[in-house]
Amino acid sequence: LSQAIAQSKRSKELFAVAFLDLDGFKPVNDTYGHRAGDIVLVAIAQRIQAVLREEDTVARLGGDEFVLLLRNLESKQQCEQIIQRVLKDINEPIDIDQGSIQVQASVGIALYPEHKVDAETLMKYADKAMYTAKSAGTHSYQFCDSK
């Protein structure tokens, strides 16, 4: 993330940090067990990776939280298109031994250089936007409005 900020300062590259939290994941572990939860997390990670472009990065922060770094964006709309595809793919059913599970996600997004802040603050902005998306309802995304 620090490298993306440095590169953006030089090249004026637009990039996004997106916090993604799965909605309805806790009942998966509680109902089907941690093995099923692990299967779901692996499937979600693979789906996110399949949508992202070569220059993008995804990391699992822990539990059911992921962070996406979307580099070299042409516009805010391109970011929205990527996030919408991620949400659509996450929403598809996942097969486990006991049947099929469906989860959704909430995503918070902070853009750089719109938010000219350090890496830690950019992450906080994306996290805050994710909680705003969650409060608006599941399976949604929200851009950070802090400046």
Side-chain angles (χ1 to χ4, degrees):
L1 185 51
S2 296
Q3 289 176 340
I5 289 171
Q7 181 176 346
S8 179
K9 286 179 180 177
R10 288 189 305 273
S11 67
K12 308 299 184 218
E13 167 193 331
L14 174 66
F15 72 86
V17 175
F19 259 59
L20 184 148
D21 186 74
L22 297 179
D23 302 321
F25 180 73
K26 185 177 180 337
V28 172
N29 278 337
D30 293 347
T31 304
Y32 300 103
H34 290 282
R35 183 178 182 290
D38 290 346
I39 290 169
V40 170
L41 289 173
V42 169
I44 295 297
Q46 290 170 340
R47 290 175 182 187
I48 294 170
Q49 284 180 315
V51 170
L52 297 187
R53 302 158 305 152
E54 186 175 300
E55 61 266 36
D56 299 329
T57 302
V58 60
R60 181 171 165 236
L61 296 179
D64 62 347
E65 292 184 329
F66 296 83
V67 65
L68 289 63
L69 176 59
L70 308 177
R71 307 275 310 259
N72 298 315
L73 294 169
E74 295 174 11
S75 65
K76 182 178 179 178
Q77 291 74 26
Q78 183 186 23
C79 177
E80 285 183 284
Q81 291 169 352
I82 294 167
I83 295 299
Q84 288 168 353
R85 286 195 316 266
V86 166
L87 288 173
K88 179 184 172 289
D89 285 5
I90 286 173
N91 194 41
E92 293 297 319
I94 299 166
D95 293 327
I96 61 168
D97 294 339
Q98 298 95 329
S100 183
I101 292 176
Q102 192 169 5
V103 295
Q104 297 180 329
S106 297
V107 181
I109 307 160
L111 296 171
Y112 193 94
E114 182 177 321
H115 302 104
K116 291 186 178 180
V117 294
D118 60 40
E120 183 179 343
T121 306
L122 202 59
M123 296 274 283
K124 286 180 185 178
Y125 283 0
D127 189 43
K128 178 182 172 192
M130 184 267 300
Y131 281 104
T132 302
K134 269 197 177 301
S135 67
T138 62
H139 195 62
S140 65
Y141 64 92
Q142 180 72 42
F143 283 91
C144 175
D145 60 7
S146 298
K147 292 208 177 195

